[in-house]
Amino acid sequence: MYSDLLDALPAVLGLYNFIALVIGVVAGIVVGAMPGLSATMAISVLVPFTFGLEPLVALGLMAGIYNGAMYGGAIPAVLLRIPGTPAAVATTFDGYPMAQKGEGGFALQVAVVSSAIGGIASAFALMLLAPPLAKVTLLFGPSEVFWVAVFGLASIIFLLGGNPIKGLISACFGVFVSVVGTDPISGADRYTFDHLELLDGINIVILLVGLYALPPVIDLLEVPLKTDQVTDKKLGTEPIWRSLPRMFRFWKTWIRSSLIGIWIGILPGAGGSMAAFMSYNEARRSSKTPDTWGHGEPEGVAASETANNADTASALIPALTLGIPGTAVAAVMLGGLLIHGLQPGPMLFRENPTVVFGFMWQFLFGAILLVLLGGSLATNSFAKLLNLPRPLLGSVIIVLMLIGVYSINGRMFDVYLMLSFGAIGYVMDKLKFPLPPVVLGLILGSYAEENLRLALRIGRGDWTILFANTTSLILVALTVAVVFGPMLKRRYLKSRQSK
């Protein structure tokens, strides 16, 4: 099988394939940098236009967009505290404070290098581990997946921010939003209030744009004459090769976050957002200076960006081998494979080795291209956004938000919904309620509910099925450790100080 991998290399290095990959990476960065747009939407729009292209050329465009968009989301996250993609939410925690301190250029360079490292690690995982790791995912039943979701929620509530009560309230709000829509099992309407637009639930992009994009824009418009604009000089922009030595201290974070991203990517339904949050929490927990996190710690940017890019190619492991998409983007890519006559599954590797292994090479080259294309674009072009007048910048962002949200389904209802979430986010921000648990609650709420109900149906209503195997028990133990670990640690330190 690995000889097929080498045999596919010459085909990938063809001129048209390479051009497609470059165009895809640049387009992906642009899409990722536009709040409200996403790789899923971009690839969905692209797929119909690839009918006349060679499969490898079409797949190169998709791989490039996916890689580019996952990094592109970090650009507005760092410069404006507006995550361009859902996976870039965790990047705002430290990236934006760095920009405010005049280290925006370094934050973007950390983001692009970390994204490339995560993408390269993910591509190697896809190349070398696809068949055996795909078999491992079969061991995760509904109960294990449910506990993974619970562990993710517990991590964000108790390890992020200083007030677990406010974190819990925020997470509950996110979980509530996740259950809006049609019950996937009974078909009953839940909290739709007779609005047909809510039958399919609330799109996470609408919530993200409203919750994360609108409050900062309101701040921009509230203080139009505030003279804290960040110039190129204040950004600290310098050649990336000069910044590399300062980044080598993140090598442990790069390795750990790559592994987390790959692992989360393999799990069907988890996605880059969960990988970024879990990686950020783990890096902060392992840090010797956790109190500096959230105030401009570059390692936080490295953790989230490495993980959300390590999720990209690995999300295709179950998709290519078993036909199970790990993320929404992977699901769209499966559609792209099908329209080119490629049936995902074990036979794909035998019947179309050049295409499937060439697709893997494209992910690797796309990640490498990020450093060349993403670095120059981010530091030399997109950083200039901060030099625009604040009222103009705020107006442009609002227009982009409205266009982006409206383009999702082509209806004004989504725009009104986005503005409502924006108002809620603004109030929460003023009252110091953490916003990340809302997002994770929305991401993991339906995920946990679906797998919990499926597990109980398999167990005929017997709750002990949730604790019936070793994997579930390990996940339960990790969750308990996350919930009670910080409290026990504080008591231990307090007792030592009192002695």
Side-chain angles (χ1 to χ4, degrees), residues 314-334:
S314 62
L316 292 170
I317 293 174
L320 292 178
T321 57
L322 303 171
I324 303 172
T327 63
V329 184
V332 175
M333 285 189 168
L334 287 186

Side-chain angles (χ1 to χ4, degrees), residues 1-2 66 119-138 258-259 261-268 310-327 329-331 333-334 337 344-346 348-349 356-357 359-360 363:
M1 178 172 289
Y2 295 124
Y66 197 4
I120 291 170
S122 188
F124 275 119
L126 178 62
M127 286 179 174
L128 304 177
L129 305 175
L133 283 184
K135 293 179 182 177
V136 172
T137 62
L138 294 176
S258 294
L259 294 175
I262 291 169
W263 178 58
I264 294 296
I266 294 170
L267 294 178
D311 161 80
T312 54
S314 62
L316 292 170
I317 293 174
L320 292 178
T321 57
L322 303 171
I324 303 172
T327 63
V329 184
M333 285 189 168
L334 287 186
L337 288 170
L348 180 64
F349 291 81
V356 69
F357 286 112
F359 191 32
M360 296 177 183
F363 265 96

Side-chain angles (χ1 to χ4, degrees), residues 220-221 224 385 387-399:
L220 281 175
L221 299 176
L385 283 173
N387 289 325
L388 292 172
R390 281 175 171 259
L392 174 62
L393 187 58
S395 303
V396 171
I397 294 172
I398 287 179
V399 171

Side-chain angles (χ1 to χ4, degrees), residues 24 187 278 281-282 324 371 439 441 468-469 490 497:
M278 289 186 67
N281 286 331
E282 281 304 304
I324 303 172
V371 178
V439 180
N469 58 61
R490 282 195 298 271
Q497 290 174 351

Side-chain angles (χ1 to χ4, degrees), residues 51-387:
F51 279 115
L53 300 178
E54 292 291 328
L56 266 181
V57 175
L59 294 177
L61 279 169
M62 295 182 199
I65 288 176
Y66 197 4
N67 268 306
M70 293 307 288
Y71 160 65
I75 296 171
V78 169
L79 301 181
L80 303 169
R81 210 191 80 173
I82 300 171
T85 60
V89 173
T91 306
T92 64
F93 301 160
D94 287 286
Y96 185 65
M98 286 181 69
Q100 289 191 310
K101 292 192 297 185
E103 298 176 347
F106 182 56
L108 289 172
Q109 289 172 341
V110 171
V112 73
V113 172
S114 301
S115 296
I117 290 172
I120 291 170
S122 188
F124 275 119
L126 178 62
M127 286 179 174
L128 304 177
L129 305 175
L133 283 184
K135 293 179 182 177
V136 172
T137 62
L138 294 176
L139 301 177
F140 280 81
S143 59
E144 292 89 345
V145 176
F146 165 73
W147 284 117
V148 168
V150 172
F151 175 68
L153 277 171
S155 298
I156 202 71
I157 292 172
F158 289 93
L159 295 183
L160 187 68
N163 192 325
I165 301 299
K166 288 186 176 180
L168 183 61
I169 293 172
S170 296
C172 288
F173 175 60
V175 172
F176 167 73
V177 174
S178 75
V179 302
V180 173
T182 304
D183 188 317
I185 295 179
S186 68
D189 296 349
R190 299 189 300 191
Y191 308 110
T192 60
F193 306 105
D194 297 327
H195 285 284
L196 295 178
E197 296 88 346
L198 292 175
L199 287 177
D200 292 332
I202 295 175
N203 190 306
I204 188 172
V205 176
I206 296 172
L207 179 134
L208 280 175
V209 173
L211 209 61
Y212 272 91
L214 200 54
V217 173
I218 294 174
D219 287 338
L220 281 175
L221 299 176
E222 276 184 341
V223 284
L225 299 179
K226 193 174 179 181
T227 57
D228 63 346
Q229 291 181 347
V230 183
T231 64
D232 284 346
K233 184 178 179 181
K234 291 180 180 177
L235 276 173
T237 304
E238 60 180 3
I240 198 166
W241 59 269
R242 289 184 181 174
S243 303
L244 280 175
R246 297 167 62 192
M247 302 182 199
F248 288 150
R249 64 188 174 96
F250 305 141
W251 66 272
K252 289 183 180 177
T253 299
W254 285 335
I255 294 174
R256 180 174 52 241
S257 299
S258 294
L259 294 175
I260 291 174
I262 291 169
W263 178 58
I264 294 296
I266 294 170
L267 294 178
S273 302
M274 183 175 174
F277 279 120
M278 289 186 67
S279 174
Y280 183 88
N281 286 331
E282 281 304 304
R284 185 191 183 198
R285 189 180 61 80
S286 305
S287 173
K288 295 179 180 177
T289 57
D291 294 337
T292 64
W293 289 59
H295 303 285
E297 173 57 55
E299 192 174 354
V301 177
S304 60
E305 283 304 304
T306 303
N308 65 29
N309 278 270
D311 161 80
T312 54
S314 62
L316 292 170
I317 293 174
L320 292 178
T321 57
L322 303 171
I324 303 172
T327 63
V329 184
V332 175
M333 285 189 168
L334 287 186
L337 288 170
L338 289 172
I339 69 167
H340 286 281
L342 305 170
Q343 180 65 46
M347 295 304 292
L348 180 64
F349 291 81
R350 179 174 298 178
E351 295 176 354
N352 300 282
T354 302
V355 174
V356 69
F357 286 112
F359 191 32
M360 296 177 183
W361 280 113
Q362 286 171 328
F363 265 96
L364 178 62
F365 294 144
I368 295 171
L369 282 173
L370 274 181
V371 178
L372 300 175
L373 303 174
S376 59
L377 280 173
T379 54
N380 298 328
S381 301
F382 286 92
K384 295 179 180 177
L385 283 173
L386 290 183
N387 289 325

